Amino acid sequence: MTLDALAFGAHADDAELSCGGTLIKLARMGYKTGVVVLTQGETGTRGNAEIRAREFAKAAEVMGLTAHKMLDIPDGRVEVTWENKLKIIDEIRAHKPRIVLAPYWVDRHPDHENASQLVRASVYLAGLKKVETAQEAFRPVKVVFCQGRFEFSPSFVVDITDVQAQKMSAIRAYASQFHRLDQSESTPAPDETLIGRPEFLDFIEARDRRYGAQVGVKYGEPFLVREALKVDDPVTFFGSEYLWTIP
Ligand SMILES: [Zn+2]
């Protein structure tokens, strides 16, 4: 199945958190979107691989994805190896996305940093005919990096105002990950994780607000590209901005 945009995450829920609103928006615009997760979440603090797969499928439905898939790279051991690159190259060639969304290369979790490197290298390698896999050579036009734990100065921000509520629903599909209501607010559970903290969903909403504010809308998601952006017609491109022209 050919896709317009394909997001890669080290773990199920990474894409929902970092670019879920954009994926939902693209699907609503009629584009075909997908998420490929490198691991199956078997070493996650909460839940197990089976629960995570069910939650991933539910989130995929909420986001209106055309395709979603989990690879079998060991969770917590996402390493930059040729074998792992071949798995990702095969997914890129099978789905032929015009753009690929990847985790930002600086992160707290080593799986995220390695996933970033793996995806960037694989997008390039997928275009080389002599790198042989089950699929024929194909190279996406652009790799766009999504923000995780650490901030970057974005190349652009996507307005997700109309779909932010749906993004939060996709995140809530990972029910096993979240703060349990029977848990006290003040005493952390022994298995407490960042995403499991009661205020986690507020963090996500605040970040969407913060980046939305940078471009004059209610909610936004930040993205980074390594190359300079080419603009053919600055009058039309910047002329559609209204933020600074409000008298
Ligand atoms: Zn992750």
Side-chain angles (χ1 to χ4, degrees), residues 83-220:
E83 189 195 359
N84 287 343
K85 283 177 192 167
L86 287 176
K87 289 178 184 175
I88 296 168
I89 290 167
D90 221 34
E91 292 303 317
I92 292 166
R93 288 174 170 177
H95 295 296
K96 299 184 170 44
R98 284 160 65 189
I99 66 162
V100 163
L101 297 123
Y104 178 41
W105 56 87
V106 182
D107 200 278
R108 174 171 167 263
H109 197 313
D111 277 2
H112 296 175
E113 289 201 344
N114 289 342
S116 184
Q117 268 197 61
L118 278 169
V119 173
R120 182 165 63 83
S122 302
V123 164
Y124 181 83
L125 294 166
L128 301 179
K129 280 195 189 86
K130 288 189 176 168
V131 175
E132 290 183 17
T133 67
Q135 309 284 336
E136 62 181 24
F138 172 85
R139 185 177 295 151
V141 177
K142 190 71 102 187
V143 186
V144 176
F145 295 91
C146 311
Q147 194 168 286
R149 187 84 181 105
F150 292 157
E151 295 199 333
F152 50 62
S153 181
S155 307
F156 62 92
V157 171
V158 174
D159 176 4
I160 60 156
T161 305
D162 293 345
V163 296
Q164 207 273 346
Q166 211 175 334
K167 167 182 175 168
M168 297 312 280
S169 303
I171 294 169
R172 276 193 215 92
Y174 294 92
S176 73
Q177 299 277 72
F178 288 112
H179 177 72
R180 293 183 299 267
L181 291 174
D182 58 350
Q183 217 172 277
S184 146
E185 293 276 326
S186 51
T187 16
D191 64 344
E192 186 178 87
T193 57
L194 180 66
I195 189 173
R197 283 162 64 175
E199 63 274 32
F200 182 77
L201 293 176
D202 295 336
F203 292 164
I204 298 300
E205 207 239 348
R207 188 172 70 180
D208 292 346
R209 285 251 191 189
R210 161 172 154 69
Y211 286 101
Q214 288 194 0
V215 295
V217 300
K218 190 168 178 185
Y219 294 112

Side-chain angles (χ1 to χ4, degrees), residues 9-15 17 39 75 107 109 111-112:
H11 315 106
D13 83 13
D14 289 351
L17 293 167
T39 67
D75 186 12
D107 200 278
H109 197 313
D111 277 2
H112 296 175

